[in-house]
Amino acid sequence: MSAMKQLTILMYHYVRPIKKSIYPGIKGLEFESFKRQLDYLSNIHTFITAEQLIAYSLGNQELPLKPCYLTFDDGFKDHIDYVMPELLSRNIQGSFFPPADAIVKREMLDVHAVHFILASTSDYHALVVELNGAYREYGGTTSNLESLQNTWYIASRYDSAEIMYVKHMLQHALPLHIRSQIVAKLFKKYVGRTQSDFAEELYISTLDTKTLIENGMYVGSHGCRHLWLNKESKSSQILEIDLSLQFLKKVGAPTKDWIMCYPYGAYNNNTLNILKSKNCSIGLTTKSGFADLDQSNMLELRRFDTNDFPQ
Ligand SMILES: [Zn+2]
């Protein structure tokens, strides 16, 4: 048994003082829990940097025993307000994966709008009724709705069937133009803020992204519009990846031997071929488990969710 062949990668999204915030219902990691988790991980593991992982993938360097690698998705302000200072105080590097459009255009991604809609109510049944009503209003039929409910009204590891139904419907099950309208309508009703104001507060800016890099953090690609790449044509995937690389270049992040973090963990063979042609070294999925450090398969590394470890 070789302990060196497995890497523990952790995946984080929201990390903030949640209970004290105005959205105590947001599904994320309490900042205090994050600190405890870092204590726990520090006792067991050796944290590695993105550069060490890339050097390993190129065959240039071995990794320490019990390596652990920390990743932060989606470019939240949390990452510069809470995560970076905490990591700096512990001399740990984090890897950050902001979706380019959210950062540059200050656009709210639907996936996050849905999180704050859900965090703004506890009556999920009423939310489902509201969602179904909006779906009919924007042209959905009752028979389609029944089949959608049969497919997506299913509880997950972390969420009830009602919550999962809202997430599935508004993140991918409905056609983009319908779900964007429904998200906008529900966001207005439940959150009561404009999405542009909200995006300004939710996401790091271009300047913040540069600050992460100046402080020794790693910034990699999380796409441009945060799309399900496996549902896009090859040319659309190329565009999406190229735009994210332009963003990385602009903020001073590496674009040769770089790291891709698939939005929603979604990719296909086209994605892998595109990444190989663009000198991508590492691909991060959302499949749960230890990352198998087989150098031939570094574009499909598994990650643990923060909830899989003591907090
Ligand atoms: Zn993401």
Side-chain angles (χ1 to χ4, degrees):
M1 194 186 103
S2 167
M4 275 188 58
K5 288 293 173 193
Q6 279 190 338
L7 169 63
T8 302
I9 308 180
L10 269 87
M11 167 175 65
Y12 297 92
H13 292 90
Y14 303 101
V15 181
R16 53 172 70 182
I18 297 171
K19 286 197 197 89
K20 289 182 210 152
S21 77
I22 54 169
Y23 296 102
I26 199 74
K27 288 277 189 296
L29 181 60
E30 278 289 348
F31 183 43
E32 288 302 319
S33 306
F34 177 61
K35 292 191 226 173
R36 282 198 300 273
Q37 188 160 75
L38 290 179
D39 291 341
Y40 168 84
L41 293 169
S42 302
N43 284 332
I44 298 170
H45 290 287
T46 302
F47 292 110
I48 62 163
T49 65
E51 290 76 13
Q52 281 178 288
L53 184 55
I54 291 166
Y56 172 84
S57 78
L58 299 171
N60 297 338
Q61 192 184 315
E62 286 300 326
L63 293 177
L65 287 172
K66 304 219 170 187
C68 181
Y69 174 60
L70 302 182
T71 65
F72 301 85
D73 292 15
D74 293 347
F76 295 129
K77 272 270 194 234
D78 299 5
H79 299 164
I80 197 126
D81 289 346
Y82 305 108
V83 173
M84 186 184 81
E86 189 58 32
L87 292 181
L88 286 175
S89 78
R90 295 166 184 255
N91 208 11
I92 300 170
Q93 186 200 55
S95 286
F96 297 84
F97 299 96
D101 266 7
I103 309 313
V104 175
K105 297 186 181 168
R106 318 304 288 148
E107 268 175 9
M108 188 86 191
L109 296 178
D110 281 351
V111 56
H112 301 141
V114 171
H115 293 161
F116 285 91
I117 292 167
L118 287 165
S120 299
T121 182
S122 53
D123 189 349
Y124 304 120
H125 178 73
L127 179 58
V128 167
V129 170
E130 192 88 27
L131 162 60
N132 289 342
Y135 175 65
R136 286 198 196 87
E137 187 184 324
Y138 296 123
T141 64
T142 302
S143 69
N144 277 345
L145 194 56
E146 272 169 20
S147 107
L148 286 163
Q149 279 180 312
N150 287 337
T151 311
W152 300 116
Y153 199 84
I154 298 166
S156 77
R157 277 168 85 193
Y158 303 119
D159 290 318
S160 71
E162 281 163 332
I163 290 176
M164 285 314 295
Y165 176 70
V166 171
K167 284 186 173 177
H168 282 302
M169 290 284 276
L170 298 179
Q171 287 175 5
H172 63 89
L174 297 178
L176 181 63
H177 65 284
I178 294 184
R179 65 183 144 91
S180 290
Q181 288 182 86
I182 298 176
V183 168
K185 184 188 169 97
L186 295 178
F187 193 86
K188 198 172 171 198
K189 173 167 176 144
Y190 282 90
V191 184
R193 303 267 315 272
T194 70
Q195 291 201 44
S196 58
D197 282 357
F198 205 87
E200 195 64 48
E201 289 168 23
L202 184 63
Y203 301 114
I204 57 172
S205 63
T206 303
L207 191 65
D208 292 331
T209 313
K210 289 178 180 167
T211 303
L212 284 171
I213 295 169
E214 281 160 13
N215 282 279
M217 302 290 140
Y218 179 86
V219 175
S221 172
H222 200 39
C224 182
R225 288 169 292 165
H226 203 275
L227 302 179
W228 300 77
L229 291 176
N230 60 341
K231 296 183 180 179
E232 296 294 314
S233 68
K234 187 165 188 186
S235 59
S236 168
Q237 289 195 41
I238 291 173
L239 177 66
E240 191 63 17
I241 291 164
D242 279 344
L243 289 171
S244 80
L245 289 174
Q246 283 171 26
F247 165 70
L248 292 180
K249 204 165 193 172
K250 197 173 83 177
V251 295
T255 52
K256 185 181 178 295
D257 304 325
W258 50 284
I259 302 180
M260 178 76 197
C261 174
Y262 308 108
Y264 308 101
Y267 63 95
N268 59 19
N269 278 331
N270 279 340
T271 326
L272 298 176
N273 289 328
I274 296 164
L275 292 180
K276 279 175 203 153
S277 76
K278 293 183 185 292
N279 291 315
C280 177
S281 300
I282 306 290
L284 301 172
T285 74
T286 53
K287 282 190 208 100
S288 184
F290 291 103
D292 191 6
L293 290 176
D294 170 1
Q295 270 155 340
S296 66
N297 204 17
M298 295 296 281
L299 293 179
E300 296 178 85
L301 298 185
R302 289 170 178 256
R303 294 188 290 172
F304 285 106
D305 189 88
T306 169
N307 293 314
D308 294 325
F309 280 77
Q311 293 170 345

